[in-house]
Amino acid sequence: MYVLIIPASVPFVLLATVMGLSWWEDHVLPPADPAETAAEGPSRTPPVAFPEPERASIASSLTGSGSGR
């Protein structure tokens, strides 16, 4: 009779383990989402603005047209 209790209780033990790990993740671990930490305050470094390259001069230098050679 006891031999049947072990296989029957395995799904419930696994469910309790997953639920316990889920609770532990929600209540004990710090949040891993960078959006949550970024929303707390402004960052200390300002965003870097890169200049736009001149597309016409790049295209002409790559194709060789318009260079007057």
Side-chain angles (χ1 to χ4, degrees), residues 22-52:
S22 176
W23 178 90
W24 185 75
E25 180 183 17
D26 291 340
H27 291 86
V28 177
L29 292 178
D33 189 15
E36 291 179 11
T37 57
E40 293 174 359
S43 64
R44 296 180 187 261
T45 58
V48 177
F50 293 104
E52 286 290 324

Side-chain angles (χ1 to χ4, degrees), residues 5-20:
I5 293 174
I6 303 292
S9 65
V10 167
F12 298 106
V13 171
L14 291 175
L15 178 64
T17 303
V18 169
M19 290 177 68

